[in-house]
Amino acid sequence: MNSCTYQDQKNDLSADNTKSSEEVHDAVPITLVIHGGAGNIKKENMTPEHEEAYRAKLEEALMTGYTLLKEGKSAMDAVTATIQVMEKSPLFNAGVGAVFTNQGKNELDASVMDGSTGMAGAVAGVSIIKSPILAARAVMEQSPHVMMSGQGAELFAKEAGLEIVDPSYFFDQRRFEQFEKIKEQQEKKETAYMQTYPDYKFGTVGCVALDAEGNIAAGTSTGGMTNKKYGRIGDSPIIGAGTYADNATCGVSSTGHGEFFIRNVIAYDIAANMKYRNISLEQATREVITRKLTLKGGTGGVIALDKKGNVSITFNTAGMFRGYIKDGSEPEIFMYGN
Ligand code: ASP
């Protein structure tokens, strides 16, 4: 089991929950944490070139969001800009390089949540919106709704002035070859769908940020799971499962076998554990991922941060593409287990 916490003793939430928002605000260190998916990510399966490519892209994503936070921009601005960097890269299962459905198509899901207002937006099953994360944000900011799907979401995105592309924009040859292989394996096996998953590499991207105002935002963008059936929607666009943010507790973005994250309301459960049991972010992520999700047979992980800038990254897979940056520090990037 893998769990990393990056917190100062003075920032430990459990130490003093009674500080006024003013005091908290003074102590807020801008912080940004990202993931590029969890799964069977092991050093022996990576070439040095591949490893370097991931490291460079994760660093570019981190620095994009961090620069905005340094300029005083909102956590939501940082989250969407960071995720856009990863959506444009074929290294991840989001935007370009998204995985393929059973019918050989790319159908994308994304969501955002603003921890300062409790507002959220999501799109599901879209295939012509260049940046699904921007569409999720537009749903939140420009509609009275939380989630839109398929052609309706695409029409909405067009009307909102977002960039529309041909579905072939998302195609990546390497990903297509992976799809053909997985499809063949799954068709051969009796318990088809589930059995290939212990070895599966999830490539969803996510970001959680804490800005200088002390506001938390979270977002997640994905192509879903390889060989998913028609119309299947995973956890990534589901508020409370794939994404959650609440200034009072934490922001969370998930990656993993979505059905388990939905059934166990993973992202919200972390925040609820903190709120109702008054436990720290690290304790909450450990309990929810290391205990609950694992006992249920689910695989994957989360990135999370709290209002004091404590970061927790917890996963039960071999590895997870991940990184974080805190005010005044160098970016930290990791891929493999502890
Ligand atoms: N959670 C995503 C889904 O189930 C997959 C992933 O994280 O890569 O759609």
Side-chain angles (χ1 to χ4, degrees), residues 191-229:
T191 38
Y193 206 65
M194 302 294 289
Q195 278 199 350
T196 40
Y197 282 117
D199 265 354
Y200 193 85
K201 198 156 78 48
F202 305 97
T204 292
V205 306
C207 177
V208 187
L210 173 67
D211 65 27
E213 300 291 319
N215 293 323
I216 297 174
T220 311
S221 182
T222 191
M225 288 181 74
T226 300
N227 202 25
K228 64 186 180 182
K229 285 199 191 299

Short mmCIF file of all heavy atoms in Angstrom, two decimals, residues 191-229:
data_model
loop_
_atom_site.label_atom_id
_atom_site.label_comp_id
_atom_site.label_asym_id
_atom_site.label_seq_id
_atom_site.Cartn_x
_atom_site.Cartn_y
_atom_site.Cartn_z
N THR A 191 -14.51 -14.25 -17.13
CA THR A 191 -15.00 -13.13 -16.34
C THR A 191 -14.54 -11.82 -16.98
O THR A 191 -14.30 -10.83 -16.30
CB THR A 191 -14.49 -13.19 -14.89
OG1 THR A 191 -13.16 -13.65 -14.92
CG2 THR A 191 -15.34 -14.05 -14.01
N ALA A 192 -14.40 -11.89 -18.25
CA ALA A 192 -13.92 -10.84 -19.13
C ALA A 192 -13.46 -9.54 -18.47
O ALA A 192 -12.28 -9.37 -18.21
CB ALA A 192 -14.99 -10.56 -20.17
N TYR A 193 -14.41 -8.68 -18.21
CA TYR A 193 -14.08 -7.30 -17.93
C TYR A 193 -13.13 -7.12 -16.74
O TYR A 193 -12.16 -6.40 -16.81
CB TYR A 193 -15.36 -6.50 -17.71
CG TYR A 193 -15.18 -5.06 -18.05
CD1 TYR A 193 -14.92 -4.68 -19.35
CD2 TYR A 193 -15.23 -4.09 -17.07
CE1 TYR A 193 -14.72 -3.36 -19.68
CE2 TYR A 193 -15.04 -2.77 -17.38
CZ TYR A 193 -14.79 -2.41 -18.69
OH TYR A 193 -14.58 -1.10 -19.00
N MET A 194 -13.41 -7.79 -15.65
CA MET A 194 -12.68 -7.54 -14.42
C MET A 194 -11.26 -8.11 -14.42
O MET A 194 -10.37 -7.52 -13.85
CB MET A 194 -13.43 -8.16 -13.23
CG MET A 194 -14.83 -7.63 -13.08
SD MET A 194 -14.85 -5.91 -12.65
CE MET A 194 -14.26 -6.01 -10.96
N GLN A 195 -11.08 -9.25 -15.06
CA GLN A 195 -9.83 -9.96 -14.83
C GLN A 195 -8.57 -9.28 -15.31
O GLN A 195 -7.49 -9.56 -14.78
CB GLN A 195 -9.92 -11.36 -15.45
CG GLN A 195 -10.63 -12.30 -14.51
CD GLN A 195 -10.34 -13.75 -14.85
OE1 GLN A 195 -9.77 -14.05 -15.89
NE2 GLN A 195 -10.74 -14.63 -13.98
N THR A 196 -8.66 -8.43 -16.27
CA THR A 196 -7.44 -7.79 -16.74
C THR A 196 -7.05 -6.60 -15.86
O THR A 196 -6.01 -6.03 -16.04
CB THR A 196 -7.63 -7.28 -18.18
OG1 THR A 196 -8.91 -6.73 -18.28
CG2 THR A 196 -7.43 -8.37 -19.19
N TYR A 197 -7.88 -6.28 -14.89
CA TYR A 197 -7.63 -5.03 -14.18
C TYR A 197 -6.50 -4.97 -13.15
O TYR A 197 -5.96 -3.90 -12.95
CB TYR A 197 -8.93 -4.45 -13.61
CG TYR A 197 -9.65 -3.81 -14.75
CD1 TYR A 197 -10.87 -4.25 -15.18
CD2 TYR A 197 -9.02 -2.81 -15.48
CE1 TYR A 197 -11.48 -3.71 -16.29
CE2 TYR A 197 -9.61 -2.26 -16.58
CZ TYR A 197 -10.85 -2.71 -16.99
OH TYR A 197 -11.42 -2.17 -18.07
N PRO A 198 -6.11 -6.10 -12.54
CA PRO A 198 -4.98 -5.96 -11.62
C PRO A 198 -3.75 -5.33 -12.31
O PRO A 198 -2.97 -4.64 -11.70
CB PRO A 198 -4.70 -7.40 -11.18
CG PRO A 198 -5.99 -8.10 -11.36
CD PRO A 198 -6.68 -7.43 -12.51
N ASP A 199 -3.64 -5.58 -13.60
CA ASP A 199 -2.49 -5.09 -14.35
C ASP A 199 -2.74 -3.78 -15.08
O ASP A 199 -1.90 -3.28 -15.80
CB ASP A 199 -2.11 -6.13 -15.41
CG ASP A 199 -1.03 -7.04 -14.88
OD1 ASP A 199 -0.55 -6.75 -13.78
OD2 ASP A 199 -0.71 -8.02 -15.57
N TYR A 200 -3.89 -3.26 -14.92
CA TYR A 200 -4.32 -2.12 -15.72
C TYR A 200 -3.59 -0.84 -15.31
O TYR A 200 -3.30 -0.63 -14.14
CB TYR A 200 -5.82 -1.94 -15.53
CG TYR A 200 -6.48 -1.01 -16.53
CD1 TYR A 200 -6.89 -1.48 -17.76
CD2 TYR A 200 -6.70 0.32 -16.21
CE1 TYR A 200 -7.51 -0.64 -18.66
CE2 TYR A 200 -7.33 1.18 -17.10
CZ TYR A 200 -7.73 0.69 -18.31
OH TYR A 200 -8.35 1.53 -19.19
N LYS A 201 -3.35 0.01 -16.29
CA LYS A 201 -2.74 1.29 -15.99
C LYS A 201 -3.78 2.38 -16.26
O LYS A 201 -4.22 2.54 -17.39
CB LYS A 201 -1.51 1.50 -16.87
CG LYS A 201 -0.58 2.56 -16.37
CD LYS A 201 0.83 2.33 -16.89
CE LYS A 201 1.01 2.76 -18.33
NZ LYS A 201 0.51 4.08 -18.70
N PHE A 202 -4.21 3.05 -15.21
CA PHE A 202 -5.18 4.13 -15.36
C PHE A 202 -4.40 5.39 -15.73
O PHE A 202 -3.31 5.59 -15.23
CB PHE A 202 -5.95 4.33 -14.05
CG PHE A 202 -6.60 3.09 -13.54
CD1 PHE A 202 -5.99 2.32 -12.57
CD2 PHE A 202 -7.82 2.67 -14.04
CE1 PHE A 202 -6.59 1.15 -12.10
CE2 PHE A 202 -8.42 1.51 -13.59
CZ PHE A 202 -7.80 0.75 -12.61
N GLY A 203 -4.94 6.23 -16.57
CA GLY A 203 -4.14 7.39 -16.99
C GLY A 203 -4.88 8.70 -16.87
O GLY A 203 -4.47 9.73 -17.42
N THR A 204 -5.98 8.63 -16.14
CA THR A 204 -6.77 9.84 -15.88
C THR A 204 -5.88 10.93 -15.29
O THR A 204 -4.90 10.63 -14.62
CB THR A 204 -7.88 9.46 -14.87
OG1 THR A 204 -8.77 8.59 -15.53
CG2 THR A 204 -8.62 10.66 -14.34
N VAL A 205 -6.24 12.19 -15.53
CA VAL A 205 -5.45 13.27 -14.93
C VAL A 205 -6.30 14.05 -13.93
O VAL A 205 -7.53 14.13 -14.08
CB VAL A 205 -4.88 14.23 -16.00
CG1 VAL A 205 -4.09 13.45 -17.04
CG2 VAL A 205 -5.96 15.07 -16.66
N GLY A 206 -5.63 14.61 -12.93
CA GLY A 206 -6.36 15.38 -11.93
C GLY A 206 -5.47 16.41 -11.28
O GLY A 206 -4.24 16.31 -11.33
N CYS A 207 -6.11 17.40 -10.68
CA CYS A 207 -5.36 18.46 -10.02
C CYS A 207 -6.19 19.01 -8.86
O CYS A 207 -7.41 19.15 -8.98
CB CYS A 207 -5.07 19.57 -11.03
SG CYS A 207 -4.21 21.00 -10.34
N VAL A 208 -5.51 19.31 -7.76
CA VAL A 208 -6.16 20.00 -6.64
C VAL A 208 -5.25 21.16 -6.26
O VAL A 208 -4.03 21.00 -6.20
CB VAL A 208 -6.36 19.08 -5.41
CG1 VAL A 208 -7.20 19.80 -4.35
CG2 VAL A 208 -7.03 17.76 -5.81
N ALA A 209 -5.83 22.34 -6.05
CA ALA A 209 -5.02 23.51 -5.75
C ALA A 209 -5.58 24.29 -4.57
O ALA A 209 -6.79 24.29 -4.33
CB ALA A 209 -4.94 24.42 -6.98
N LEU A 210 -4.66 24.94 -3.88
CA LEU A 210 -5.01 25.86 -2.78
C LEU A 210 -4.42 27.21 -3.15
O LEU A 210 -3.20 27.32 -3.35
CB LEU A 210 -4.39 25.34 -1.48
CG LEU A 210 -4.49 26.23 -0.24
CD1 LEU A 210 -5.94 26.35 0.22
CD2 LEU A 210 -3.63 25.66 0.89
N ASP A 211 -5.26 28.23 -3.26
CA ASP A 211 -4.74 29.53 -3.70
C ASP A 211 -4.45 30.45 -2.52
O ASP A 211 -4.68 30.10 -1.35
CB ASP A 211 -5.68 30.16 -4.74
CG ASP A 211 -7.06 30.53 -4.17
OD1 ASP A 211 -7.17 30.79 -2.95
OD2 ASP A 211 -8.02 30.57 -4.97
N ALA A 212 -3.95 31.63 -2.84
CA ALA A 212 -3.51 32.56 -1.81
C ALA A 212 -4.66 33.06 -0.94
O ALA A 212 -4.45 33.55 0.18
CB ALA A 212 -2.79 33.74 -2.46
N GLU A 213 -5.88 32.93 -1.45
CA GLU A 213 -7.06 33.33 -0.66
C GLU A 213 -7.50 32.21 0.27
O GLU A 213 -8.48 32.36 1.00
CB GLU A 213 -8.24 33.64 -1.60
CG GLU A 213 -7.99 34.76 -2.59
CD GLU A 213 -7.90 36.10 -1.89
OE1 GLU A 213 -8.71 36.34 -0.98
OE2 GLU A 213 -7.00 36.88 -2.25
N GLY A 214 -6.86 31.08 0.18
CA GLY A 214 -7.25 29.94 1.02
C GLY A 214 -8.37 29.12 0.41
O GLY A 214 -9.00 28.31 1.09
N ASN A 215 -8.61 29.32 -0.90
CA ASN A 215 -9.66 28.55 -1.57
C ASN A 215 -9.09 27.29 -2.22
O ASN A 215 -8.01 27.33 -2.82
CB ASN A 215 -10.36 29.40 -2.63
CG ASN A 215 -11.15 30.52 -2.00
OD1 ASN A 215 -11.75 30.35 -0.93
ND2 ASN A 215 -11.12 31.70 -2.62
N ILE A 216 -9.88 26.24 -2.14
CA ILE A 216 -9.48 24.95 -2.72
C ILE A 216 -10.35 24.67 -3.94
O ILE A 216 -11.57 24.89 -3.92
CB ILE A 216 -9.70 23.80 -1.70
CG1 ILE A 216 -8.81 24.01 -0.46
CG2 ILE A 216 -9.42 22.44 -2.33
CD1 ILE A 216 -9.06 22.99 0.66
N ALA A 217 -9.73 24.16 -5.02
CA ALA A 217 -10.49 23.68 -6.18
C ALA A 217 -9.92 22.35 -6.62
O ALA A 217 -8.73 22.07 -6.40
CB ALA A 217 -10.42 24.69 -7.32
N ALA A 218 -10.77 21.52 -7.23
CA ALA A 218 -10.31 20.22 -7.71
C ALA A 218 -10.92 19.94 -9.07
O ALA A 218 -12.01 20.42 -9.39
CB ALA A 218 -10.72 19.12 -6.73
N GLY A 219 -10.19 19.16 -9.88
CA GLY A 219 -10.71 18.78 -11.19
C GLY A 219 -10.12 17.46 -11.65
O GLY A 219 -9.03 17.07 -11.21
N THR A 220 -10.86 16.78 -12.53
CA THR A 220 -10.44 15.48 -13.04
C THR A 220 -10.88 15.37 -14.50
O THR A 220 -11.98 15.80 -14.84
CB THR A 220 -11.10 14.34 -12.21
OG1 THR A 220 -10.92 14.61 -10.82
CG2 THR A 220 -10.50 12.99 -12.54
N SER A 221 -10.03 14.79 -15.36
CA SER A 221 -10.39 14.64 -16.77
C SER A 221 -9.89 13.28 -17.26
O SER A 221 -8.79 12.86 -16.91
CB SER A 221 -9.75 15.77 -17.59
OG SER A 221 -10.11 15.67 -18.95
N THR A 222 -10.71 12.59 -18.06
CA THR A 222 -10.36 11.23 -18.44
C THR A 222 -11.00 10.78 -19.75
O THR A 222 -11.98 11.37 -20.20
CB THR A 222 -10.83 10.25 -17.33
OG1 THR A 222 -10.28 8.96 -17.57
CG2 THR A 222 -12.33 10.12 -17.28
N GLY A 223 -10.44 9.70 -20.29
CA GLY A 223 -11.09 9.00 -21.39
C GLY A 223 -11.87 7.81 -20.85
O GLY A 223 -12.47 7.06 -21.62
N GLY A 224 -11.80 7.58 -19.54
CA GLY A 224 -12.51 6.46 -18.92
C GLY A 224 -11.66 5.21 -18.89
O GLY A 224 -10.45 5.30 -18.70
N MET A 225 -12.28 4.05 -19.12
CA MET A 225 -11.51 2.81 -19.09
C MET A 225 -11.53 2.13 -20.46
O MET A 225 -12.55 2.09 -21.14
CB MET A 225 -12.06 1.88 -18.01
CG MET A 225 -11.68 2.43 -16.63
SD MET A 225 -12.22 1.44 -15.25
CE MET A 225 -11.10 0.08 -15.35
N THR A 226 -10.37 1.59 -20.83
CA THR A 226 -10.23 0.92 -22.12
C THR A 226 -11.30 -0.14 -22.31
O THR A 226 -11.58 -0.91 -21.39
CB THR A 226 -8.84 0.24 -22.19
OG1 THR A 226 -7.86 1.24 -22.04
CG2 THR A 226 -8.65 -0.46 -23.53
N ASN A 227 -11.88 -0.17 -23.50
CA ASN A 227 -12.88 -1.18 -23.86
C ASN A 227 -14.18 -1.03 -23.08
O ASN A 227 -14.94 -1.99 -22.94
CB ASN A 227 -12.28 -2.59 -23.67
CG ASN A 227 -13.02 -3.62 -24.50
OD1 ASN A 227 -13.63 -3.30 -25.52
ND2 ASN A 227 -13.00 -4.86 -24.06
N LYS A 228 -14.43 0.15 -22.54
CA LYS A 228 -15.70 0.37 -21.81
C LYS A 228 -16.86 0.22 -22.79
O LYS A 228 -16.74 0.52 -23.97
CB LYS A 228 -15.70 1.75 -21.14
CG LYS A 228 -15.63 2.94 -22.10
CD LYS A 228 -15.49 4.26 -21.34
CE LYS A 228 -15.43 5.46 -22.29
NZ LYS A 228 -15.24 6.74 -21.60
N LYS A 229 -17.98 -0.21 -22.26
CA LYS A 229 -19.14 -0.41 -23.13
C LYS A 229 -19.83 0.92 -23.46
O LYS A 229 -19.64 1.91 -22.75
CB LYS A 229 -20.13 -1.34 -22.43
CG LYS A 229 -19.67 -2.80 -22.44
CD LYS A 229 -20.85 -3.71 -22.19
CE LYS A 229 -20.42 -5.13 -21.93
NZ LYS A 229 -19.70 -5.74 -23.05
#
